[in-house]
Amino acid sequence: MAAPKKSAAKETGQDRNSGSTKSKVPDFTKEQELHAFRDMLLIRRFEEKAGQLYGMGAIGGFCHLYIGQEAVVVGMQMALREGDQVITGYRDHGHMLACEMDAKGVMAELTGRRGGYSKGKGGSMHMFSMEKHFYGGHGIVGAQVSLGTGIAFANRYRDNGSVCLAYFGDGASNQGQVYESFNMAELWKLPVVYVIENNRYAMGTSVTRSSAQTDFSKRGVSFNIPGEQVDGMDVRAVKAAGDKAVAHCRAGNGPYILEMQTYRYRGHSMSDPAKYRTREEVDKIRNDQDPIEQVRQRLLGSDMTEDDLKKIDAEVRKIVNEAADFAQNDPEPDPSELYTDVYR
C-alpha cells in the first residue's frame, strides 16, 4: 500500500518549530570573531576550489562539499582542547581544515597525489591524521558513530580526560548502529559528543518524509542521553553548546547529543543537481543566515573595515590556490604503493 502523502508545506524542508526555544548566545571577543571568520572562510574557499577542480576533471570519484555548514565544525573545534578527537563521515574536508590539517595535503588527496594525507590512495572520503587527532573521513553511512564510540571507550579506559566528537548527519541518524552506540555510551558513561549535522535533506529526501521524529536532539531520550537543538548557522551558538556538552562528558557524565540545525548550499555531492528543493529556499538561507556573513557583519560593526576583511580573504585565497597548484603538480603515487598498508 502506498505511503500517505505529506502536506505540501512539509515537503520543502524540516519544520523548525519543534518546541525548542532560542536563548541569547554569549558574544565573542574580537579575537574569537576573527578566528571564526578566517577558519570558516578557509573552508568556504577550499570547497569552492574543490568544486572547480572536480568540474575540470582533476578530482575523481565522489566529492561532498561542506559549503554552508562551516559554523558547525569551527564552533565545535573552539570548544575542544589538545588531545580531544574528531571523527566524521564523508562530508569531511571542513573538519580536516578545522583540525588544522594542511590544505595542501587535503587537496592533494582529493586529486590522488602522493602528497595527500592517504598518499593519494584514499580520496575525498578517506583521510586520517594521528597528529591532529582526526580519525576520518568514512564512506559508510553511520559507521563513524560506532567507531567514535570506541574512541571514547579508549579515553575512559585510559582515563586521559579526552572527549571524542562523532559527527553524522540527519540521514545517518536512522542507522541501527547509531542506537547500539547510544546504548553502550550511556551504559558505560563514555565521553562522546554526538554532533548531528542536520542539513535537512540527507542524500536528497526531506527529513519530514524520512524521519518520524524530526527533533534529532530527542534521539537519545530512550537511552537517557541529554540533547539540545542548536542554531548551526551561528558559530557563537555552536561554541556555547559545544562548551556545555564537552564539559558534561569530561566530568564523567556520559554522552551528549547536539543537533546542529544547518544547511548545505550545494547538493549531496557534486553529482547531485538538488532538484528536491527550490532555488528560492537556498537563496533565502544564504541571504538571511549565512554563517560567514553573520561574523563579517559583526566585525564591520566593530573597528574592522572592508579592506581589513578583504585582506584576510586574500590571504585565505592564497593558501587555497597554493594547495590547488600543489595538488595538480605533485606526482601520482608510485605503483609500489598499491599494496602498502593493505597487505603489509
Side-chain angles (χ1 to χ4, degrees), residues 2-205:
K5 292 183 178 180
K6 302 259 184 173
S7 64
K10 291 277 190 174
E11 288 293 313
T12 56
Q14 182 184 4
D15 180 12
R16 292 313 211 208
N17 300 316
S18 54
S20 62
T21 57
K22 290 185 179 179
S23 58
K24 188 179 184 303
V25 297
D27 290 330
F28 269 7
T29 64
K30 181 182 175 182
E31 289 71 27
Q32 287 176 315
E33 296 278 31
L34 283 170
H35 173 82
F37 180 74
R38 186 191 179 281
D39 282 11
M40 289 194 292
L41 197 58
L42 175 61
I43 295 171
R44 178 73 58 90
R45 298 296 181 236
F46 182 96
E47 295 290 65
E48 289 171 347
K49 180 61 72 173
Q52 292 175 9
L53 293 179
Y54 187 92
M56 295 163 53
I59 296 175
F62 290 99
C63 186
H64 305 81
L65 303 183
Y66 200 63
I67 297 174
Q69 300 182 211
E70 297 92 350
V72 176
V73 71
V74 170
M76 287 302 301
Q77 205 64 25
M78 293 173 74
L80 300 185
R81 72 185 189 193
E82 178 62 29
D84 292 337
Q85 307 102 340
V86 171
I87 189 168
T88 187
Y90 41 74
R91 196 179 307 280
D92 53 3
H93 316 149
H95 302 73
M96 299 173 202
L97 296 174
C99 289
E100 299 183 353
M101 290 169 66
D102 180 34
K104 289 182 179 178
V106 178
M107 194 72 85
E109 189 58 43
L110 294 180
T111 57
R113 306 306 173 101
R114 65 177 64 176
Y117 269 98
S118 297
K119 302 178 182 177
K121 301 186 291 182
S124 178
M125 301 187 200
H126 305 287
M127 297 187 226
F128 189 95
S129 174
M130 285 286 289
E131 177 192 6
K132 300 299 183 181
H133 309 291
F134 179 78
Y135 291 83
H138 294 272
I140 303 300
V141 176
Q144 74 275 16
V145 180
S146 53
L147 294 173
T149 304
I151 294 171
F153 173 76
N155 289 338
R156 188 176 185 279
Y157 186 82
R158 294 166 178 160
D159 195 24
N160 59 18
S162 295
V163 173
C164 178
L165 301 187
Y167 290 87
F168 55 106
D170 48 285
S173 297
N174 295 322
Q175 289 281 327
Q177 62 187 311
V178 170
Y179 298 99
E180 295 178 54
S181 298
F182 285 178
N183 188 58
M184 182 180 294
E186 178 58 26
L187 275 173
W188 294 345
K189 299 298 181 185
L190 303 183
V192 54
V193 180
Y194 295 111
V195 185
I196 304 175
E197 298 194 74
N198 179 8
N199 60 29
R200 309 190 193 187
Y201 289 102
M203 287 184 65
T205 302

